[in-house]
Amino acid sequence: MRYIDVHCHLDGGHYGNLDALFERLKAAGVQKIIAVGFDLQSSAFCRDIANLNDMCYFTAGFHPTELAKYREGDLDKIAKLAEDKKCVAIGEIGLDYHYPDTQKALQRRIFGEQLKLACNLGLPVQIHSRDCAEDTLDVLKENADYLKNGALMHCFSYSTEIAATLEKMGFYFSFGGTSTFSGSKRARKCIAAISQERLLTETDSPYMPPKSRAGEFPNTSESIPEICANIADIKGVTAETAAENVWRNAHELFKKL
């Protein structure tokens, strides 16, 4: 079987030798990963790693909780990074109202500007959304014309009703290690409700280990087979079918893979 992790983080020095990690991933059947940027520095790091490793691709973008670093003109630099042949999307971008000092107006503005940037570059987007379902939907509907190249809701954690609304808009959804726990009822209901043509696998590593690695840090993309097997179980299909569906879906969304 061939697996893909569409959302992981390789920065931070958590994994030791990255070449050794990539060899372990290949042994686990993980053939491709997408290393996700969250600001200028991490996006450039992901670009460099991707260009050194055939199995690695990357995204470039500004995460909503990193906007204290943002300076006018930075999106031009993100655009330059995104011209790289291995940049598959603008991300991760979006909204996050989890912290009390959230600058909601700034988050919404930069989110909208990055959606427009992705459209202009002909790229899909990877979207982060936490504790702000209504505002996220508002921004996406306001900018619907900029979503023609596709969009992924990473680590989707909202209701089946919101999932249905987004699926009608052409969205894809990725699920990680938390969905393997029996207590993750909302994620499991969403996996059951979302069509197989819209499901993807991620780890968000080094975070969110699956059930078999509970409490471990760092999590790695080696967890993808367990996450995919969980999706297969929920959907009532074989592990092979689930893995092939995810592989196909990823390549349909991220055209540069």
Side-chain angles (χ1 to χ4, degrees), residues 118-250:
C119 180
N120 290 340
L121 294 171
L123 291 173
V125 290
Q126 286 209 14
I127 296 172
H128 168 102
S129 178
R130 182 165 59 160
D131 298 343
C132 53
E134 201 169 299
D135 277 13
T136 298
L137 278 174
D138 285 346
V139 173
L140 293 173
K141 289 176 180 177
E142 289 167 8
N143 293 276
D145 289 346
Y146 297 141
L147 296 171
K148 61 185 178 182
N149 298 301
L152 169 69
M153 292 297 295
H154 116 83
C155 193
F156 187 72
S157 60
Y158 295 137
S159 67
T160 54
E161 291 79 12
I162 292 175
T165 297
L166 292 171
E167 189 168 359
K168 288 177 183 176
M169 295 173 66
F171 276 64
Y172 291 76
F173 307 82
S174 58
F175 294 87
T178 55
S179 65
T180 65
F181 292 87
S182 58
S184 297
K185 294 180 180 179
R186 181 175 288 182
R188 298 172 73 86
K189 285 181 180 178
C190 284
I191 291 170
I194 295 168
S195 66
Q196 294 184 62
E197 291 74 24
R198 295 288 162 175
L199 291 172
L200 295 170
T201 51
E202 68 159 284
T203 59
D204 202 20
S205 56
Y207 316 106
M208 298 201 322
K211 185 177 180 180
S212 73
R213 300 175 184 232
E216 290 186 14
F217 186 89
N219 184 31
T220 76
S221 297
E222 292 165 282
S223 297
I224 286 292
E226 181 177 352
I227 293 164
C228 191
N230 179 64
I231 290 175
D233 183 59
I234 293 171
K235 300 301 283 187
V237 300
T238 65
E240 290 82 0
T241 296
E244 281 305 306
N245 285 342
V246 168
W247 184 268
R248 181 189 64 249
N249 297 344

Side-chain angles (χ1 to χ4, degrees), residues 77-97:
K77 297 175 183 178
I78 292 291
K80 188 66 177 176
L81 288 168
E83 292 175 0
D84 191 281
K85 64 182 180 180
K86 298 197 79 177
C87 182
V88 299
I90 296 298
E92 62 184 291
I93 65 176
L95 302 177
D96 191 319
Y97 293 176

